[in-house]
Amino acid sequence: MSRGYFELTDQPVLSRNILDRDERLRLDPVYVRDSWPKARVVVVDESGRTPVDWQVDPDREFRETDAAAWDAAAGRGGQVRTRAGTDLAPEPPAEAVLLGESEGVPYWAVRGGPAWTAADDPGEWADLRAAGAFLDPLGSGLLTCAVSTLNWHDRARFCAVDGTRTRPHNAGWARICENGHEEYPRTDPAVICLVHDGADRVLLARQPVWPVGRYSVLAGFVESGESLEACVHREIAEEVGLDVTDVRYLGSQAWPFPRSLMVGFHAIADPDALLVPQEGEIADALWITRDQLRAALARGDWGAPEGRDAHERTDPVVRLPGRVSIARTMLDAWAAVGL
Ligand SMILES: [Zn+2]
């Protein structure tokens, strides 16, 4: 076992899916037709938002983009509010996607807006970034699958081979063009890597477009023909000028903005080596200790208010990603080593 080895302590929140994705059901026209009368449908708007149901702190004014308000609801098990299929259409619409089954209930997804909501529906429309960490495993799985698959449909309307129009088939799990070329939902892999020194320090970095104080671990898209491990070495070298060793897999989760898969690793680098932040990509990179990371995690994430301690800090001012991101799952696990 290598120096500084650790594993995730929690499952990444968007990977908590309990939906049964059964390919045989998508290919069975009798199942597709006969299951519609008992289907529940996830309606997702063009911004990736869907109605969700959760308990809000009654003393706090709610805004759906207010991560602190979502924090107040943490642990209360928010749910995605679905519609009965037969409320929307007598049979599955051509553009609908069969997500899968849970406890005998077939779940589908369609594009739609607030006009599709029942008049008395109290759901608040929210997207995965805002609500993902606070949804129950079914809701999180439904919305992650729905958003990623619908995003792919939006961008696959013409055949990449001959440019003719495509139409959905296999209950939304493929598109086929006028000349019979098929395409399947696409995912773009990206690596995300927690770089540490094998002992007590971790490397954080911030992008130029982020507010001052917002930091995370490093990430980048996998290039064609490249292995995940090679991508880790290349991205860390490009972004901060460090050579890493001991690259180890941690876990993964879908990140459908619009269609990524984040593949998490950790790796070791020399904290005394010169950091060379990449022009235009990295505004700042710094090493902090495990105690400093724990203090930053305790302060709250990117969306949390400044709080009373804002003028009393002696350690670097660091805000970390929210619980919906795998970066946070990775940082939580590294911070817990030795506890
Ligand atoms: Zn074609």
Side-chain angles (χ1 to χ4, degrees), residues 158-166 176-182:
F158 296 91
C159 177
V161 178
D162 56 34
T164 63
R165 280 192 181 280
T166 60
I176 188 165
C177 85
E178 294 168 7
N179 295 311
H181 299 121
E182 287 190 1

Coordinates of all heavy atoms in Angstrom, one line a residue, residues 158-166 176-182, ligand 1:
F158 N -28.9 15.9 -35.4 CA -28.5 15.6 -36.8 C -27.3 14.6 -36.7 O -26.5 14.6 -35.8 CB -28.0 16.9 -37.5 CG -29.1 17.9 -37.6 CD1 -29.3 18.9 -36.7 CD2 -29.9 17.9 -38.7 CE1 -30.3 19.8 -36.8 CE2 -30.9 18.8 -38.9 CZ -31.1 19.8 -37.9
C159 N -27.3 13.8 -37.8 CA -26.4 12.7 -37.8 C -24.9 13.3 -38.0 O -24.7 14.1 -38.8 CB -26.7 11.8 -39.0 SG -25.5 10.4 -39.2
A160 N -24.0 12.7 -37.2 CA -22.6 13.2 -37.3 C -21.9 12.7 -38.6 O -20.9 13.2 -39.0 CB -21.8 12.8 -36.1
V161 N -22.5 11.6 -39.2 CA -21.9 11.1 -40.4 C -22.4 11.8 -41.7 O -21.6 12.1 -42.5 CB -22.3 9.5 -40.5 CG1 -21.7 8.9 -41.8 CG2 -21.8 8.8 -39.3
D162 N -23.7 12.0 -41.8 CA -24.2 12.5 -43.1 C -25.1 13.8 -42.9 O -25.6 14.3 -43.9 CB -25.0 11.4 -43.8 CG -26.1 10.9 -43.0 OD1 -26.7 11.6 -42.2 OD2 -26.4 9.7 -43.1
G163 N -25.3 14.2 -41.7 CA -26.0 15.5 -41.5 C -27.5 15.4 -41.6 O -28.2 16.5 -41.5
T164 N -28.1 14.2 -41.8 CA -29.5 14.2 -41.9 C -30.1 14.2 -40.5 O -29.5 13.9 -39.5 CB -30.0 12.9 -42.6 OG1 -29.6 11.7 -41.9 CG2 -29.4 12.8 -44.0
R165 N -31.4 14.5 -40.4 CA -32.1 14.5 -39.2 C -32.1 13.2 -38.5 O -32.2 12.2 -39.1 CB -33.6 15.0 -39.4 CG -33.7 16.5 -39.5 CD -35.2 16.9 -39.4 NE -35.2 18.4 -39.6 CZ -34.9 19.2 -38.7 NH1 -34.6 18.8 -37.4 NH2 -35.0 20.5 -38.9
T166 N -32.0 13.2 -37.1 CA -32.1 12.0 -36.4 C -33.5 12.0 -35.6 O -34.0 13.1 -35.4 CB -31.0 11.8 -35.4 OG1 -31.0 12.9 -34.5 CG2 -29.6 11.8 -36.1
I176 N -31.5 7.6 -34.4 CA -31.2 7.0 -35.6 C -31.5 8.0 -36.8 O -32.5 8.8 -36.7 CB -32.1 5.7 -35.8 CG1 -31.6 4.9 -37.0 CG2 -33.6 5.9 -35.8 CD1 -32.1 3.5 -37.0
C177 N -30.7 8.0 -37.8 CA -30.8 9.0 -38.8 C -31.6 8.4 -40.0 O -31.9 7.3 -40.0 CB -29.5 9.6 -39.3 SG -28.6 8.6 -40.5
E178 N -31.8 9.3 -41.0 CA -32.6 8.8 -42.2 C -31.9 7.7 -42.9 O -32.6 6.9 -43.7 CB -32.8 10.0 -43.1 CG -33.7 11.1 -42.5 CD -33.7 12.4 -43.3 OE1 -33.2 12.5 -44.4 OE2 -34.3 13.4 -42.7
N179 N -30.6 7.6 -42.8 CA -29.9 6.5 -43.5 C -29.5 5.4 -42.6 O -28.7 4.5 -42.9 CB -28.6 7.1 -44.2 CG -29.0 8.1 -45.3 OD1 -29.8 7.8 -46.1 ND2 -28.4 9.3 -45.2
G180 N -30.1 5.4 -41.4 CA -29.9 4.2 -40.5 C -28.7 4.2 -39.6 O -28.5 3.3 -38.8
H181 N -28.0 5.3 -39.5 CA -26.9 5.4 -38.6 C -27.4 5.6 -37.2 O -28.3 6.5 -37.0 CB -25.9 6.6 -38.9 CG -25.3 6.5 -40.2 ND1 -25.4 7.4 -41.2 CD2 -24.5 5.5 -40.8 CE1 -24.8 7.1 -42.3 NE2 -24.2 5.9 -42.0
E182 N -26.9 4.8 -36.2 CA -27.4 5.0 -34.8 C -26.3 5.7 -34.0 O -25.1 5.5 -34.2 CB -27.6 3.6 -34.2 CG -28.8 2.9 -34.8 CD -29.1 1.6 -34.0 OE1 -28.4 1.3 -33.0 OE2 -30.1 0.9 -34.3
Ligands
ZN1 ZN -26.6 9.2 -40.8

